[in-house]
Amino acid sequence: MKFPDMRGVGGDMRHPRFLALAAAVVLGVGTAPAVHADSREDPWILGKISNMTLEEKVGQLFATNVYGESGDTTAPADVAANQAMYGPGIENGDDVIAKYKPGAILYFRWSNNLNDPVKTAGLSNDLQRAALAQPAKIPLLIATDQEHGAVYRLDEPFTAFPGQMALGATRSAGHALTAGKVTGRELAALGINQDYAPVADVNVDPRNPVIGVRSFGEDTGLVSELTRASVRGLQQGGVSAAVKHFPGHGDTVNDSHDSVPWIFHTREEWERIDAPPFRAGIAAGADMIMTAHVVMPYLQSDCDVQTQEGCDPATLDPEIMTGLLREELGYDGVVVSDSLSMQGVRDKYGDDRVPVLALKAGVDMLIIVDDPASTISLDVAYNAVLNAVRSGELTEARIDESVHRILSLKKKRGFFDGDQQVDEGKVLRTLGSRAHKALARAVADHSVTLVRNEAGALPLTDTGQRVLVTGYRNVAPPSVKIPPAERLAKAISDLGVTTELFETGASPGAATVAAAVDKARASDVVVVATVNTATSASQRTLVNALLATGKPVVVVGARNPYDIADFPGAPAFLATYSWERPAMEAAARVLFGRTAPTGELPVTIPAADGSVLYPYGHSLSYRPSPGRSNT
């Protein structure tokens, strides 16, 4: 392995911390250099750590999921799922906590944690009681991914916001702060004290399959400003923010869930494009930074691009996790891995090596969640770390360093000041309140972007029109609800417009397209919702067939604004960046002139030949004029 050129991460190569890092890389020693000075070590936390067993310390390093609506669930399906994940004898969340004493639990809809908000609050209370019943008495971080837009875990009655790229279209740090505060308050009401958000990746590649509208946009300054505001909002709302995905996941055409993305940013490009939003999140006091399973070879001095020798994902690379994040950016909060079940971190090493290498790189907390495509398990990872300490590959001092950070976060958030129980009776009064919904509506109204409006096609008249609303609906399990056409049709109908809904699914076949065309011919206006048409030939066929009817057709891009490049013949195109209900309701108001479109493109829209079709910042508008005819 090449000796790392520490000049590549700044500073003096003679500095003891650089020398320690170099030794760790070359010799395989598992101790990343400590970065918190002795003066900042809390005596109470040090005393807590000194009384913990090694097994308790290692448990704090893991975040995992459990199945069930209660900590002691006896539901057969949930018990079977927990046993399949953890082995015989582990039937529920209480059992997982008793055996592994994890530092965090993650909630998902597919693991039956989020079916009912009152039950979710009860589950949080159960799990916290189980954690405090353990000898170390350390409360849990309870986390979820509530980014809004394309990635959300909690649906109605939780207040939905249109998502990060929609916030980028508003150009408003105030809106980002508001969305964060509301989200934080509603999560906290359920006993969820951690949100794996915001996404600080700068989406500079329109083909990016994993980030896209999860990003605030392509402009580093905008992403930095809104990352800062979002962190402050979430943490003021009562939950810890986790800025992700370091060192940046915005310039790739690969999804790290399925493969290892390579990002060929030079050091100068990384400093200019990727680093500023993370600096902004750190400056805002982010409690956590989440890693990216990406290879950035020009940030890794021991990576040989030709042979790929020494080219590890950032999560496993000391130069990035310690050299860049700790030393250069000065971050001393908790670093959490993205899920170690993802293929992007598992291509090169065995399941027992990945968690150890992540800790050696400088990561503090390791996410292990159930994934049918993965063989890694919490039991394998937990025992791998224990064995690495017992063998000397990792020192107990290195484990203590991460436990210190995790306990510091929990103490700062007041976890040790009470029992962390939430009032289950107040949940429904907090979620989806009239005030919160009004704030979400305001954000949505300011985000809708009118990208194309040839010959004044919009606004539509709201009298005497028969409007066909058609297009996308997913056929995924209930964990992902993507019904933009349905939500849009309901919103248009609520305006008093005669509306027919004909959903075409995610991949309409010939018979479905023909039926949609027949309905279009019997209508006065067609509104069609699309989701990522660049990867869906069937959706493109549908829209082009509708355009060929000669009827007025409005395309509503309910996720990627890039869809407009596929429909040069469409007279009107609205970008909503999201299929959430507030976004669809805002689109309906814009379509019929009840509100003016005010959003600005937060990304550049390229044409098929690579030229610029619509530039960053492009927007059209008109004065609201209810009842205006579109003839």
Side-chain angles (χ1 to χ4, degrees), residues 146-202:
Q146 190 71 4
E147 299 172 15
H148 295 288
V151 174
Y152 60 97
R153 307 302 183 201
L154 293 106
D155 208 340
E156 297 170 344
F158 199 89
T159 300
F161 283 85
Q164 290 199 187
M165 192 168 283
L167 286 165
T170 72
R171 298 297 197 273
S172 172
H175 281 328
L177 182 74
T178 294
K181 279 186 179 180
V182 170
T183 300
R185 288 169 183 162
E186 295 197 1
L187 289 174
L190 302 178
I192 298 172
N193 50 40
Q194 173 108 66
D195 190 8
Y196 288 150
V199 174
D201 304 315
V202 182

Side-chain angles (χ1 to χ4, degrees), residues 185-367:
R185 288 169 183 162
E186 295 197 1
L187 289 174
L190 302 178
I192 298 172
N193 50 40
Q194 173 108 66
D195 190 8
Y196 288 150
V199 174
D201 304 315
V202 182
N203 197 72
V204 295
D205 193 325
R207 302 166 298 168
N208 193 322
V210 65
I211 303 301
V213 294
R214 298 172 63 194
S215 166
F216 291 115
E218 69 176 34
D219 179 78
T220 294
L222 177 67
V223 176
S224 299
E225 181 183 15
L226 299 192
T227 296
R228 181 184 299 110
S230 182
V231 168
R232 288 174 174 167
L234 284 167
Q235 297 191 168
Q236 288 174 21
V239 303
S240 290
V243 179
K244 59 189 186 185
H245 308 82
F246 189 84
H249 206 321
D251 193 6
T252 176
V253 295
N254 298 106
D255 185 341
S256 52
H257 291 84
D258 308 317
S259 61
V260 185
W262 283 60
I263 298 177
F264 294 93
H265 284 190
T266 65
R267 176 55 188 264
E268 184 277 330
E269 288 172 327
W270 180 80
E271 288 280 7
R272 175 169 49 85
I273 298 170
D274 304 292
F278 292 100
R279 293 184 187 275
I282 292 168
D287 282 345
M288 274 194 182
I289 303 288
M290 180 181 284
T291 72
H293 303 324
V294 299
V295 174
M296 281 195 171
Y298 300 130
L299 302 183
Q300 301 169 261
S301 64
D302 57 344
C303 174
D304 188 316
V305 177
Q306 297 291 329
T307 65
Q308 301 188 10
E309 178 75 24
C311 303
D312 288 339
T315 301
L316 309 182
D317 192 278
E319 283 188 88
I320 292 177
M321 290 298 107
T322 298
L324 286 184
L325 183 54
R326 298 290 192 201
E327 297 291 347
E328 182 159 327
L329 271 61
Y331 185 65
D332 195 30
V334 175
V335 176
V336 60
S337 74
D338 207 342
S339 173
L340 299 187
S341 305
M342 294 164 61
Q343 195 59 37
V345 77
R346 299 177 61 249
D347 263 4
K348 187 174 178 181
Y349 299 102
D351 292 345
D352 60 338
R353 296 300 300 151
V354 170
V356 174
L357 293 174
L359 291 170
K360 291 173 73 172
V363 177
D364 299 305
M365 185 166 268
L366 310 169
I367 295 178

Side-chain angles (χ1 to χ4, degrees), residues 59 137 242 266 591:
K137 300 186 185 307
T266 65
L591 286 171

Side-chain angles (χ1 to χ4, degrees), residues 113-159:
N113 308 139
L114 302 171
N115 298 330
D116 174 275
V118 176
K119 290 181 179 178
T120 297
L123 172 64
S124 298
N125 288 338
D126 289 349
L127 296 177
Q128 293 290 13
R129 278 192 291 266
L132 289 176
Q134 303 308 308
K137 300 186 185 307
I138 300 174
L140 292 163
L141 283 164
I142 298 180
T144 197
D145 295 272
Q146 190 71 4
E147 299 172 15
H148 295 288
V151 174
Y152 60 97
R153 307 302 183 201
L154 293 106
D155 208 340
E156 297 170 344
F158 199 89
T159 300

Side-chain angles (χ1 to χ4, degrees), residues 379-393:
D379 194 71
V380 168
Y382 173 84
N383 283 295
V385 175
L386 283 176
N387 291 335
V389 177
R390 291 163 178 160
S391 72
E393 183 180 9

